[in-house]
């Protein structure tokens, strides 16, 4: 890949508290990696002119359910377990039909392509072939990340359940057949403890460890769910302990939600390097409660943001930045021990470099980082204050006022995909 | 005005708990009023074909600050009093310049025109001429409602303060000169107790009562604000009592926020018929806390929704429906005594008929109601579930997934304005 340089208003975070930016700067990329941000036009690179546009790192969506995108924004008056049984499971069962999956996943891949997201960690369904098709759709769109065939062998409706051995066999087939993809890798994906027997969880842990694969699941989302896990696994210290015992925690694991972690669970996530996928829109929509992210971050747990389609009701990671700030303010107001609210640069950091760390060196414009880049035209937001706004102010306006905007250009690992 | 009928997918609420709708129905209007919703094409009315579009009542935004629209979505990491002093007051001071106001208010009127809002209760600034210009801009856009010249004679920066007599004189001039407008009426607008001396408040109460004018102000938004009011008015029973003593509560009054009403204040608002403008986006952005709307509604207080531009960060009343539901879920989760969350039809009711009641018979499609109508094309939301979605499901999708969409057509009192 030849070197190129994007000319525009470049902004990123290297640490949580503050932005770096270069108005009218040049972001130079070579061999798929960031080379530099400079105010001078580079002599030896093709320049892509995005003058007056916001140029920021592609964002990482650490948790979403591909088959739920079709009904995202519907039935939002319900709580988690009711919502799963009445709407989610019946809809997911339809993905047995690969033709149905093809239609639905094409819409998802196209909408993801046009947003700010470049990296994803995605749940499919229990259906191996539909999930392989999902990987193909995402790879064809040029996105990068992980996709999992969901495993679930108990407490699930007849239309959406596997026999334990079948679940293991299909997971193994999924891992084998997905080796065909380059930028999308398979992820071991037990749905959550209530849906997975101890034997299934332990076997999945073994598959993940033997193949050095990423893992994704759910943890401590809802109080009823937590009580249920205690009943199902009386031998465990707590919910996180069930995953730990199965060898499913670690630096390559994402646990979605973590609204209600206790001190032991916090320590378990920190010491294993497990990532939290904070899902603020979903926390709100499903009345789950608000994950105390300030506390978790201060404690040193790895974390990023996620849309949690379709507990969350937007596929936009820009909207998740606003939502993460918003719910943190309400949590702080109702419980000051949760710590002060997230600031805008902190939430942006979580959406970019914080969550991006799961995928390696991505989500920042430091030299050597993967060149994941999103370009947005913020001039659609009309205000008499323009010109005269700083680059961080314009980014804040984009997040609050036009989070569903479509990207004007996008790059993943230096390759232009839009 | 000749009778006409809009053909489309018509949906509205008559009471909080449930939708009424007519897929492929005819909404007939005559003399600016709703005549009927029918499944049959009327014989004697021109038909406006909006087949496949969502047709619902125009929404009422009970509280927004016109001069703050320019910086809506900026500086959202601050709380109320800091945010007022650092950003809001300096920006509002600029509206002394009518040319500046002209530019900014033109953008606001245009954006309001293209959303779902048909009625507004708006704060201008202390500047009479700029506020008259704001009324003209809104009237020219075809919108209806009330606009107030803000009164503030204490605890305000030098650049944005009035002498008490000057504030009274200018309010009187504002009322006189705004008689030129037909669909926009003047509203008596003390900013809030900290900014208004007792004498100013009482004189404004007298002007409102003598001229039978609407009134708008702020009440119980933030805990620091409430303590400050107690210091400023040691003679009062509580914050609401200060307005009551000045004769400023009543059926024609809107009090924005009301996050922290105590029992006496609730009774005061109910018994006077005062309307609460619930501002969920602002409650969140300014970390004010969440107004317990379930409790207030059960108690029988009049209420509607509001954007509170620019404490709120969206001008879309569709977005406020989502936000009202969202914050009510989080409040319920943190304090179950606040009552169960608002449902989607309840929040839609608040945005339409609930708040519309402030302006008379508006916000519903019952016969005799003002024909305030919004038409939206929801086909921009792509899902494999379409066709097959009910009209209420499509409205829920619009609210959650495309709340910033632009209206395809809009009518106020039967007149097409878009």
């Amino acid at each position: 890949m030849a070197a190129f340089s994007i000319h525009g208003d470049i902004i990123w975070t290297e640490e949580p508290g503050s932005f770096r930016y270069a108005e009218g700067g040049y972001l130079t990329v070579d061999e798929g990696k960031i080379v530099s941000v400079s105010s001078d036009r580079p002599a030896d690179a093709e320049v892509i002119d995005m003058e007056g546009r916001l140029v920021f790192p592609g964002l990482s969506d650490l948790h979403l359910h591909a088959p739920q995108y079709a009904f995202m924004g519907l039935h939002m008056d319900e709580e988690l377990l009711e919502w799963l049984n009445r709407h989610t499971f019946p809809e997911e069962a339809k993905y047995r039909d690969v033709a149905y999956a093809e239609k639905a996943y094409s819409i998802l891949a196209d909408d993801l392509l046009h947003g700010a997201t470049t990296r994803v960690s995605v749940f499919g369904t229990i259906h191996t072939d539909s999930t392989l098709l999902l990987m193909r759709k995402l790879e064809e769109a040029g996105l990068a990340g992980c996709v999992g065939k969901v495993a679930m062998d108990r407490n699930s409706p007849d239309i959406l359940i596997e026999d334990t051995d079948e679940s293991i066999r299909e997971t193994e087939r999924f891992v084998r057949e997905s080796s065909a993809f380059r930028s999308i890798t398979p992820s071991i994906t037990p749905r959550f403890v209530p849906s997975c027997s101890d034997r299934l969880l332990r076997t999945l842990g073994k598959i993940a460890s033997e193949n050095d694969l990423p893992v994704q699941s759910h943890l401590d989302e809802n109080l009823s769910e937590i009580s249920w896990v205690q009943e199902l696994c009386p031998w465990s210290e707590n919910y996180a302990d069930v995953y730990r015992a199965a060898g499913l925690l670690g630096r390559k694991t994402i646990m979605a939600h973590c609204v209600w972690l206790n001190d032991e669970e916090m320590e378990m996530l920190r010491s294993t390097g497990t990532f939290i996928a904070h899902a603020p829109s979903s926390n709100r929509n499903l009345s789950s409660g608000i994950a105390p992210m300030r506390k978790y971050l201060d404690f040193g747990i790895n974390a990023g943001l996620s849309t949690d389609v379709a507990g969350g009701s937007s596929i936009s990671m820009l909207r998740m930045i606003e939502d993460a700030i918003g719910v943190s303010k309400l949590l702080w107001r109702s419980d000051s021990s949760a710590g002060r609210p997230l600031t805008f640069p902190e939430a942006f950091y979580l959406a970019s470099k914080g969550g991006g760390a799961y995928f390696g060196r991505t989500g920042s414009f430091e030299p050597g980082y993967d060149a994941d880049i999103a370009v947005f035209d913020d001039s659609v937001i009309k205000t008499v204050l323009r010109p005269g706004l700083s680059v961080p102010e314009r980014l804040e306006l984009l997040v609050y006022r036009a989070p569903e905007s479509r990207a004007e250009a996008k790059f993943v690992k230096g390759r232009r995909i839009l």
Side-chain angles (χ1 to χ4, degrees), chain A residues 59-64 112 117-123 138 143-147 183-185 187 216 254 307 315 317 358-359 372:
Chain A
L59 305 180
S60 288
D61 185 348
L62 291 192
H63 180 66
L64 72 159
L112 275 173
T117 303
T118 52
R119 306 281 172 138
V120 288
S121 182
V122 190
F123 276 52
L138 295 174
L143 299 161
C146 321
V147 169
S183 67
I184 305 287
T185 55
S187 188
Q216 54 183 347
I254 293 170
T307 58
I315 201 170
M317 285 295 293
Y358 179 75
F359 301 102
D372 279 30

PDB file of all heavy atoms in Angstrom, chain A residues 59-64 112 117-123 138 143-147 183-185 187 216 254 307 315 317 358-359 372:
ATOM      1  N   LEU A  59     -14.057   3.980  15.435  1.00  0.00           N
ATOM      2  CA  LEU A  59     -14.465   3.603  16.791  1.00  0.00           C
ATOM      3  C   LEU A  59     -14.696   2.094  16.886  1.00  0.00           C
ATOM      4  O   LEU A  59     -14.986   1.436  15.883  1.00  0.00           O
ATOM      5  CB  LEU A  59     -15.720   4.388  17.178  1.00  0.00           C
ATOM      6  CG  LEU A  59     -15.576   5.921  17.040  1.00  0.00           C
ATOM      7  CD1 LEU A  59     -16.866   6.629  17.452  1.00  0.00           C
ATOM      8  CD2 LEU A  59     -14.397   6.453  17.848  1.00  0.00           C
ATOM      9  N   SER A  60     -14.544   1.578  18.102  1.00  0.00           N
ATOM     10  CA  SER A  60     -14.699   0.138  18.342  1.00  0.00           C
ATOM     11  C   SER A  60     -15.990  -0.130  19.092  1.00  0.00           C
ATOM     12  O   SER A  60     -16.182   0.362  20.199  1.00  0.00           O
ATOM     13  CB  SER A  60     -13.517  -0.385  19.169  1.00  0.00           C
ATOM     14  OG  SER A  60     -12.349  -0.424  18.377  1.00  0.00           O
ATOM     15  N   ASP A  61     -16.857  -0.921  18.489  1.00  0.00           N
ATOM     16  CA  ASP A  61     -18.114  -1.324  19.130  1.00  0.00           C
ATOM     17  C   ASP A  61     -17.890  -2.720  19.717  1.00  0.00           C
ATOM     18  O   ASP A  61     -17.874  -3.709  18.995  1.00  0.00           O
ATOM     19  CB  ASP A  61     -19.231  -1.329  18.082  1.00  0.00           C
ATOM     20  CG  ASP A  61     -20.593  -1.618  18.703  1.00  0.00           C
ATOM     21  OD1 ASP A  61     -20.642  -2.037  19.880  1.00  0.00           O
ATOM     22  OD2 ASP A  61     -21.601  -1.420  18.005  1.00  0.00           O
ATOM     23  N   LEU A  62     -17.717  -2.770  21.041  1.00  0.00           N
ATOM     24  CA  LEU A  62     -17.290  -4.018  21.671  1.00  0.00           C
ATOM     25  C   LEU A  62     -18.404  -5.035  21.869  1.00  0.00           C
ATOM     26  O   LEU A  62     -18.146  -6.138  22.341  1.00  0.00           O
ATOM     27  CB  LEU A  62     -16.636  -3.729  23.037  1.00  0.00           C
ATOM     28  CG  LEU A  62     -15.289  -3.011  23.038  1.00  0.00           C
ATOM     29  CD1 LEU A  62     -14.668  -3.075  24.434  1.00  0.00           C
ATOM     30  CD2 LEU A  62     -14.327  -3.608  22.024  1.00  0.00           C
ATOM     31  N   HIS A  63     -19.638  -4.657  21.555  1.00  0.00           N
ATOM     32  CA  HIS A  63     -20.715  -5.636  21.791  1.00  0.00           C
ATOM     33  C   HIS A  63     -21.973  -5.266  21.027  1.00  0.00           C
ATOM     34  O   HIS A  63     -22.597  -4.241  21.293  1.00  0.00           O
ATOM     35  CB  HIS A  63     -21.029  -5.708  23.296  1.00  0.00           C
ATOM     36  CG  HIS A  63     -22.109  -6.677  23.638  1.00  0.00           C
ATOM     37  ND1 HIS A  63     -21.967  -8.048  23.457  1.00  0.00           N
ATOM     38  CD2 HIS A  63     -23.365  -6.512  24.123  1.00  0.00           C
ATOM     39  CE1 HIS A  63     -23.079  -8.649  23.840  1.00  0.00           C
ATOM     40  NE2 HIS A  63     -23.947  -7.737  24.243  1.00  0.00           N
ATOM     41  N   LEU A  64     -22.351  -6.101  20.082  1.00  0.00           N
ATOM     42  CA  LEU A  64     -23.666  -5.956  19.444  1.00  0.00           C
ATOM     43  C   LEU A  64     -24.136  -7.305  18.935  1.00  0.00           C
ATOM     44  O   LEU A  64     -23.332  -8.203  18.675  1.00  0.00           O
ATOM     45  CB  LEU A  64     -23.648  -4.913  18.322  1.00  0.00           C
ATOM     46  CG  LEU A  64     -22.938  -5.205  17.005  1.00  0.00           C
ATOM     47  CD1 LEU A  64     -23.494  -4.294  15.908  1.00  0.00           C
ATOM     48  CD2 LEU A  64     -21.448  -4.974  17.149  1.00  0.00           C
ATOM     49  N   LEU A 112     -23.473  -0.296   9.329  1.00  0.00           N
ATOM     50  CA  LEU A 112     -22.205  -0.205  10.071  1.00  0.00           C
ATOM     51  C   LEU A 112     -21.135   0.488   9.228  1.00  0.00           C
ATOM     52  O   LEU A 112     -20.395   1.336   9.724  1.00  0.00           O
ATOM     53  CB  LEU A 112     -21.698  -1.599  10.455  1.00  0.00           C
ATOM     54  CG  LEU A 112     -22.239  -2.210  11.739  1.00  0.00           C
ATOM     55  CD1 LEU A 112     -21.774  -3.654  11.866  1.00  0.00           C
ATOM     56  CD2 LEU A 112     -21.804  -1.404  12.972  1.00  0.00           C
ATOM     57  N   THR A 117     -17.970   3.420  13.104  1.00  0.00           N
ATOM     58  CA  THR A 117     -17.385   2.186  13.621  1.00  0.00           C
ATOM     59  C   THR A 117     -16.454   1.532  12.609  1.00  0.00           C
ATOM     60  O   THR A 117     -16.814   1.403  11.442  1.00  0.00           O
ATOM     61  CB  THR A 117     -18.517   1.186  13.965  1.00  0.00           C
ATOM     62  OG1 THR A 117     -19.400   1.808  14.896  1.00  0.00           O
ATOM     63  CG2 THR A 117     -17.972  -0.093  14.553  1.00  0.00           C
ATOM     64  N   THR A 118     -15.268   1.108  13.085  1.00  0.00           N
ATOM     65  CA  THR A 118     -14.394   0.317  12.203  1.00  0.00           C
ATOM     66  C   THR A 118     -14.141  -1.087  12.759  1.00  0.00           C
ATOM     67  O   THR A 118     -13.816  -1.984  12.008  1.00  0.00           O
ATOM     68  CB  THR A 118     -13.039   1.016  11.977  1.00  0.00           C
ATOM     69  OG1 THR A 118     -12.462   1.349  13.238  1.00  0.00           O
ATOM     70  CG2 THR A 118     -13.218   2.295  11.166  1.00  0.00           C
ATOM     71  N   ARG A 119     -14.286  -1.250  14.091  1.00  0.00           N
ATOM     72  CA  ARG A 119     -14.033  -2.559  14.720  1.00  0.00           C
ATOM     73  C   ARG A 119     -15.267  -2.998  15.490  1.00  0.00           C
ATOM     74  O   ARG A 119     -15.905  -2.178  16.157  1.00  0.00           O
ATOM     75  CB  ARG A 119     -12.872  -2.476  15.711  1.00  0.00           C
ATOM     76  CG  ARG A 119     -11.601  -1.920  15.139  1.00  0.00           C
ATOM     77  CD  ARG A 119     -10.843  -2.946  14.330  1.00  0.00           C
ATOM     78  NE  ARG A 119      -9.733  -2.303  13.652  1.00  0.00           N
ATOM     79  CZ  ARG A 119      -8.511  -2.824  13.560  1.00  0.00           C
ATOM     80  NH1 ARG A 119      -8.238  -4.011  14.100  1.00  0.00           N
ATOM     81  NH2 ARG A 119      -7.564  -2.185  12.904  1.00  0.00           N
ATOM     82  N   VAL A 120     -15.524  -4.285  15.453  1.00  0.00           N
ATOM     83  CA  VAL A 120     -16.710  -4.802  16.132  1.00  0.00           C
ATOM     84  C   VAL A 120     -16.422  -6.138  16.796  1.00  0.00           C
ATOM     85  O   VAL A 120     -15.581  -6.904  16.339  1.00  0.00           O
ATOM     86  CB  VAL A 120     -17.874  -5.026  15.127  1.00  0.00           C
ATOM     87  CG1 VAL A 120     -18.460  -3.699  14.670  1.00  0.00           C
ATOM     88  CG2 VAL A 120     -17.412  -5.849  13.920  1.00  0.00           C
ATOM     89  N   SER A 121     -17.160  -6.401  17.866  1.00  0.00           N
ATOM     90  CA  SER A 121     -17.214  -7.747  18.433  1.00  0.00           C
ATOM     91  C   SER A 121     -18.696  -8.104  18.465  1.00  0.00           C
ATOM     92  O   SER A 121     -19.476  -7.513  19.206  1.00  0.00           O
ATOM     93  CB  SER A 121     -16.601  -7.764  19.835  1.00  0.00           C
ATOM     94  OG  SER A 121     -16.622  -9.082  20.356  1.00  0.00           O
ATOM     95  N   VAL A 122     -19.068  -9.076  17.638  1.00  0.00           N
ATOM     96  CA  VAL A 122     -20.476  -9.276  17.297  1.00  0.00           C
ATOM     97  C   VAL A 122     -20.966 -10.671  17.655  1.00  0.00           C
ATOM     98  O   VAL A 122     -20.281 -11.663  17.387  1.00  0.00           O
ATOM     99  CB  VAL A 122     -20.682  -9.101  15.771  1.00  0.00           C
ATOM    100  CG1 VAL A 122     -22.169  -9.072  15.421  1.00  0.00           C
ATOM    101  CG2 VAL A 122     -19.998  -7.849  15.263  1.00  0.00           C
ATOM    102  N   PHE A 123     -22.167 -10.733  18.224  1.00  0.00           N
ATOM    103  CA  PHE A 123     -22.876 -11.997  18.391  1.00  0.00           C
ATOM    104  C   PHE A 123     -23.679 -12.287  17.129  1.00  0.00           C
ATOM    105  O   PHE A 123     -24.404 -11.405  16.645  1.00  0.00           O
ATOM    106  CB  PHE A 123     -23.879 -11.904  19.540  1.00  0.00           C
ATOM    107  CG  PHE A 123     -23.313 -12.139  20.906  1.00  0.00           C
ATOM    108  CD1 PHE A 123     -22.201 -11.445  21.347  1.00  0.00           C
ATOM    109  CD2 PHE A 123     -23.913 -13.047  21.767  1.00  0.00           C
ATOM    110  CE1 PHE A 123     -21.693 -11.659  22.631  1.00  0.00           C
ATOM    111  CE2 PHE A 123     -23.412 -13.265  23.041  1.00  0.00           C
ATOM    112  CZ  PHE A 123     -22.309 -12.572  23.480  1.00  0.00           C
ATOM    113  N   LEU A 138     -19.530  -8.707   6.784  1.00  0.00           N
ATOM    114  CA  LEU A 138     -18.720  -7.683   7.464  1.00  0.00           C
ATOM    115  C   LEU A 138     -17.364  -7.539   6.783  1.00  0.00           C
ATOM    116  O   LEU A 138     -16.867  -6.429   6.594  1.00  0.00           O
ATOM    117  CB  LEU A 138     -18.563  -8.024   8.952  1.00  0.00           C
ATOM    118  CG  LEU A 138     -19.862  -7.997   9.760  1.00  0.00           C
ATOM    119  CD1 LEU A 138     -19.613  -8.489  11.187  1.00  0.00           C
ATOM    120  CD2 LEU A 138     -20.464  -6.585   9.797  1.00  0.00           C
ATOM    121  N   LEU A 143     -14.952  -4.037   7.198  1.00  0.00           N
ATOM    122  CA  LEU A 143     -14.805  -3.850   8.643  1.00  0.00           C
ATOM    123  C   LEU A 143     -13.896  -4.923   9.233  1.00  0.00           C
ATOM    124  O   LEU A 143     -13.640  -5.947   8.592  1.00  0.00           O
ATOM    125  CB  LEU A 143     -16.184  -3.888   9.299  1.00  0.00           C
ATOM    126  CG  LEU A 143     -17.123  -2.783   8.797  1.00  0.00           C
ATOM    127  CD1 LEU A 143     -18.575  -3.110   9.100  1.00  0.00           C
ATOM    128  CD2 LEU A 143     -16.732  -1.438   9.416  1.00  0.00           C
ATOM    129  N   ALA A 144     -13.439  -4.700  10.453  1.00  0.00           N
ATOM    130  CA  ALA A 144     -12.581  -5.679  11.115  1.00  0.00           C
ATOM    131  C   ALA A 144     -13.139  -6.018  12.490  1.00  0.00           C
ATOM    132  O   ALA A 144     -13.913  -5.254  13.053  1.00  0.00           O
ATOM    133  CB  ALA A 144     -11.158  -5.124  11.255  1.00  0.00           C
ATOM    134  N   GLY A 145     -12.724  -7.187  13.013  1.00  0.00           N
ATOM    135  CA  GLY A 145     -13.167  -7.544  14.355  1.00  0.00           C
ATOM    136  C   GLY A 145     -13.449  -9.022  14.518  1.00  0.00           C
ATOM    137  O   GLY A 145     -12.874  -9.854  13.809  1.00  0.00           O
ATOM    138  N   CYS A 146     -14.353  -9.342  15.445  1.00  0.00           N
ATOM    139  CA  CYS A 146     -14.655 -10.727  15.792  1.00  0.00           C
ATOM    140  C   CYS A 146     -16.156 -10.976  15.695  1.00  0.00           C
ATOM    141  O   CYS A 146     -16.958 -10.095  16.022  1.00  0.00           O
ATOM    142  CB  CYS A 146     -14.265 -11.036  17.232  1.00  0.00           C
ATOM    143  SG  CYS A 146     -12.731 -10.293  17.761  1.00  0.00           S
ATOM    144  N   VAL A 147     -16.495 -12.187  15.321  1.00  0.00           N
ATOM    145  CA  VAL A 147     -17.901 -12.600  15.242  1.00  0.00           C
ATOM    146  C   VAL A 147     -18.024 -13.960  15.903  1.00  0.00           C
ATOM    147  O   VAL A 147     -17.155 -14.820  15.717  1.00  0.00           O
ATOM    148  CB  VAL A 147     -18.360 -12.687  13.769  1.00  0.00           C
ATOM    149  CG1 VAL A 147     -19.722 -13.372  13.660  1.00  0.00           C
ATOM    150  CG2 VAL A 147     -18.405 -11.301  13.135  1.00  0.00           C
ATOM    151  N   SER A 183      -9.987 -10.364   7.904  1.00  0.00           N
ATOM    152  CA  SER A 183     -10.086  -9.272   8.881  1.00  0.00           C
ATOM    153  C   SER A 183     -11.136  -9.549   9.958  1.00  0.00           C
ATOM    154  O   SER A 183     -11.211  -8.827  10.946  1.00  0.00           O
ATOM    155  CB  SER A 183     -10.385  -7.947   8.176  1.00  0.00           C
ATOM    156  OG  SER A 183     -11.667  -7.977   7.615  1.00  0.00           O
ATOM    157  N   ILE A 184     -11.932 -10.587   9.763  1.00  0.00           N
ATOM    158  CA  ILE A 184     -12.924 -10.962  10.780  1.00  0.00           C
ATOM    159  C   ILE A 184     -12.532 -12.331  11.332  1.00  0.00           C
ATOM    160  O   ILE A 184     -12.409 -13.300  10.586  1.00  0.00           O
ATOM    161  CB  ILE A 184     -14.341 -11.055  10.166  1.00  0.00           C
ATOM    162  CG1 ILE A 184     -14.739  -9.753   9.452  1.00  0.00           C
ATOM    163  CG2 ILE A 184     -15.362 -11.423  11.243  1.00  0.00           C
ATOM    164  CD1 ILE A 184     -15.071  -8.594  10.354  1.00  0.00           C
ATOM    165  N   THR A 185     -12.339 -12.383  12.656  1.00  0.00           N
ATOM    166  CA  THR A 185     -11.923 -13.644  13.274  1.00  0.00           C
ATOM    167  C   THR A 185     -13.063 -14.213  14.119  1.00  0.00           C
ATOM    168  O   THR A 185     -13.942 -13.479  14.561  1.00  0.00           O
ATOM    169  CB  THR A 185     -10.685 -13.433  14.160  1.00  0.00           C
ATOM    170  OG1 THR A 185     -10.994 -12.409  15.107  1.00  0.00           O
ATOM    171  CG2 THR A 185      -9.489 -12.982  13.342  1.00  0.00           C
ATOM    172  N   SER A 187     -15.036 -15.709  17.317  1.00  0.00           N
ATOM    173  CA  SER A 187     -15.002 -15.467  18.760  1.00  0.00           C
ATOM    174  C   SER A 187     -15.843 -16.549  19.439  1.00  0.00           C
ATOM    175  O   SER A 187     -16.935 -16.870  18.968  1.00  0.00           O
ATOM    176  CB  SER A 187     -15.592 -14.080  19.041  1.00  0.00           C
ATOM    177  OG  SER A 187     -15.420 -13.726  20.385  1.00  0.00           O
ATOM    178  N   GLN A 216     -16.471 -13.791  24.001  1.00  0.00           N
ATOM    179  CA  GLN A 216     -17.392 -12.712  24.373  1.00  0.00           C
ATOM    180  C   GLN A 216     -18.619 -13.310  25.058  1.00  0.00           C
ATOM    181  O   GLN A 216     -19.095 -14.373  24.682  1.00  0.00           O
ATOM    182  CB  GLN A 216     -17.819 -11.892  23.143  1.00  0.00           C
ATOM    183  CG  GLN A 216     -18.405 -12.733  22.019  1.00  0.00           C
ATOM    184  CD  GLN A 216     -18.760 -11.943  20.761  1.00  0.00           C
ATOM    185  OE1 GLN A 216     -18.794 -10.724  20.768  1.00  0.00           O
ATOM    186  NE2 GLN A 216     -19.046 -12.664  19.687  1.00  0.00           N
ATOM    187  N   ILE A 254     -14.286 -10.255  26.173  1.00  0.00           N
ATOM    188  CA  ILE A 254     -15.158  -9.099  26.420  1.00  0.00           C
ATOM    189  C   ILE A 254     -16.368  -9.575  27.206  1.00  0.00           C
ATOM    190  O   ILE A 254     -17.042 -10.525  26.808  1.00  0.00           O
ATOM    191  CB  ILE A 254     -15.666  -8.485  25.096  1.00  0.00           C
ATOM    192  CG1 ILE A 254     -14.509  -7.862  24.316  1.00  0.00           C
ATOM    193  CG2 ILE A 254     -16.755  -7.445  25.361  1.00  0.00           C
ATOM    194  CD1 ILE A 254     -14.887  -7.444  22.903  1.00  0.00           C
ATOM    195  N   THR A 307     -22.678  -0.588  21.450  1.00  0.00           N
ATOM    196  CA  THR A 307     -24.071  -0.220  21.169  1.00  0.00           C
ATOM    197  C   THR A 307     -25.039  -1.227  21.789  1.00  0.00           C
ATOM    198  O   THR A 307     -26.183  -0.889  22.044  1.00  0.00           O
ATOM    199  CB  THR A 307     -24.333  -0.199  19.655  1.00  0.00           C
ATOM    200  OG1 THR A 307     -24.032  -1.492  19.118  1.00  0.00           O
ATOM    201  CG2 THR A 307     -23.485   0.859  18.962  1.00  0.00           C
ATOM    202  N   ILE A 315     -27.164   2.256  16.445  1.00  0.00           N
ATOM    203  CA  ILE A 315     -25.964   1.558  15.992  1.00  0.00           C
ATOM    204  C   ILE A 315     -24.777   2.523  15.936  1.00  0.00           C
ATOM    205  O   ILE A 315     -23.671   2.140  15.584  1.00  0.00           O
ATOM    206  CB  ILE A 315     -26.215   0.886  14.633  1.00  0.00           C
ATOM    207  CG1 ILE A 315     -25.206  -0.243  14.404  1.00  0.00           C
ATOM    208  CG2 ILE A 315     -26.183   1.910  13.496  1.00  0.00           C
ATOM    209  CD1 ILE A 315     -25.541  -1.105  13.217  1.00  0.00           C
ATOM    210  N   MET A 317     -21.830   4.661  17.288  1.00  0.00           N
ATOM    211  CA  MET A 317     -20.913   4.789  18.414  1.00  0.00           C
ATOM    212  C   MET A 317     -20.762   6.251  18.847  1.00  0.00           C
ATOM    213  O   MET A 317     -20.397   6.522  19.990  1.00  0.00           O
ATOM    214  CB  MET A 317     -19.556   4.195  18.063  1.00  0.00           C
ATOM    215  CG  MET A 317     -19.555   2.675  18.065  1.00  0.00           C
ATOM    216  SD  MET A 317     -19.867   1.971  19.721  1.00  0.00           S
ATOM    217  CE  MET A 317     -18.381   2.500  20.574  1.00  0.00           C
ATOM    218  N   TYR A 358      -8.619  -3.573  22.709  1.00  0.00           N
ATOM    219  CA  TYR A 358      -9.005  -4.991  22.619  1.00  0.00           C
ATOM    220  C   TYR A 358      -8.485  -5.612  21.327  1.00  0.00           C
ATOM    221  O   TYR A 358      -8.129  -6.789  21.294  1.00  0.00           O
ATOM    222  CB  TYR A 358     -10.530  -5.114  22.694  1.00  0.00           C
ATOM    223  CG  TYR A 358     -11.007  -6.547  22.595  1.00  0.00           C
ATOM    224  CD1 TYR A 358     -10.880  -7.428  23.668  1.00  0.00           C
ATOM    225  CD2 TYR A 358     -11.591  -7.027  21.419  1.00  0.00           C
ATOM    226  CE1 TYR A 358     -11.298  -8.751  23.580  1.00  0.00           C
ATOM    227  CE2 TYR A 358     -12.009  -8.347  21.320  1.00  0.00           C
ATOM    228  CZ  TYR A 358     -11.862  -9.201  22.405  1.00  0.00           C
ATOM    229  OH  TYR A 358     -12.283 -10.496  22.307  1.00  0.00           O
ATOM    230  N   PHE A 359      -8.475  -4.801  20.277  1.00  0.00           N
ATOM    231  CA  PHE A 359      -8.090  -5.311  18.960  1.00  0.00           C
ATOM    232  C   PHE A 359      -6.597  -5.107  18.663  1.00  0.00           C
ATOM    233  O   PHE A 359      -6.132  -5.440  17.585  1.00  0.00           O
ATOM    234  CB  PHE A 359      -8.929  -4.637  17.869  1.00  0.00           C
ATOM    235  CG  PHE A 359     -10.405  -4.861  18.047  1.00  0.00           C
ATOM    236  CD1 PHE A 359     -11.226  -3.875  18.586  1.00  0.00           C
ATOM    237  CD2 PHE A 359     -10.977  -6.079  17.689  1.00  0.00           C
ATOM    238  CE1 PHE A 359     -12.590  -4.102  18.757  1.00  0.00           C
ATOM    239  CE2 PHE A 359     -12.330  -6.315  17.859  1.00  0.00           C
ATOM    240  CZ  PHE A 359     -13.146  -5.319  18.399  1.00  0.00           C
ATOM    241  N   ASP A 372      -7.107   3.154  11.318  1.00  0.00           N
ATOM    242  CA  ASP A 372      -8.570   3.131  11.307  1.00  0.00           C
ATOM    243  C   ASP A 372      -9.031   4.575  11.428  1.00  0.00           C
ATOM    244  O   ASP A 372      -8.801   5.220  12.462  1.00  0.00           O
ATOM    245  CB  ASP A 372      -9.102   2.349  12.504  1.00  0.00           C
ATOM    246  CG  ASP A 372      -9.090   0.847  12.283  1.00  0.00           C
ATOM    247  OD1 ASP A 372      -8.223   0.363  11.533  1.00  0.00           O
ATOM    248  OD2 ASP A 372      -9.968   0.170  12.860  1.00  0.00           O
TER     249      ASP A 372
END
